[in-house]
Amino acid sequence: MERVRKSGRGYTARCPAHEDRSASLSIAEGNDGRALVKCFAGCEVLAVVRALGLEVADLFPQRVADATPEGRTAAREAWRQSGWAAALGVLAREASIVVIAARAVADGQPLGPDDHARLLVAVERIEGAREVLA
């Protein structure tokens, strides 16, 4: 993986399942030892795992999980929190794309097809991050 960086309780990196210019992949360890994987560009977990040469079963530890209601609640909360730091990073990066595009348009410069396409990607990624933070 490329551009692996510590982020909150986990890490961010470039997603190996798609051509990623920024670190849109969030990886963290859940309280129960599971690997929590989320691509904010929309890649399915299976695609990310296979691009790494792994199987989904590799994300889970070989131990008995806490199956109590409290344990399940804690696991859900850990999953939710692991995505927050990555979502905030995505918001910061993609908001800068929106600002650059807005400045260009305000200055009377039309967006070319590549810039327009990148702006649409930024909007999709911001929406994905918003859903994580909601």
Side-chain angles (χ1 to χ4, degrees):
M1 287 198 305
E2 297 178 21
R3 288 197 182 171
V4 178
R5 293 174 53 181
K6 181 86 172 127
S7 178
R9 293 178 50 179
Y11 296 87
T12 60
R14 285 184 176 175
C15 178
H18 73 279
E19 190 172 320
D20 200 2
R21 292 185 188 178
S22 61
S24 62
L25 182 66
S26 170
I27 302 171
E29 182 179 353
N31 288 342
D32 62 355
R34 286 184 291 175
L36 308 174
V37 177
K38 169 83 173 160
C39 175
F40 287 94
C43 294
E44 296 290 329
V45 171
L46 182 60
V48 174
V49 171
R50 287 198 173 151
L52 293 170
L54 302 171
E55 295 296 328
V56 174
D58 295 325
L59 300 179
F60 298 91
Q62 295 288 334
R63 62 182 184 188
V64 177
D66 184 355
T68 65
E70 296 81 14
R72 289 192 303 271
T73 299
R76 279 192 299 273
E77 183 62 20
W79 168 251
R80 210 166 61 102
Q81 288 181 15
S82 72
W84 291 348
L88 291 172
V90 167
L91 283 175
R93 283 188 302 278
E94 300 306 321
S96 66
I97 299 297
V98 173
V99 168
I100 291 167
R103 284 185 184 149
V105 170
D107 291 343
Q109 300 171 353
L111 296 179
D114 290 343
D115 293 334
H116 185 261
R118 180 59 181 95
L119 181 59
L120 292 177
V121 169
V123 169
E124 288 175 13
R125 289 179 177 173
I126 288 169
E127 179 59 25
R130 189 196 64 76
E131 288 175 8
V132 168
L133 296 170

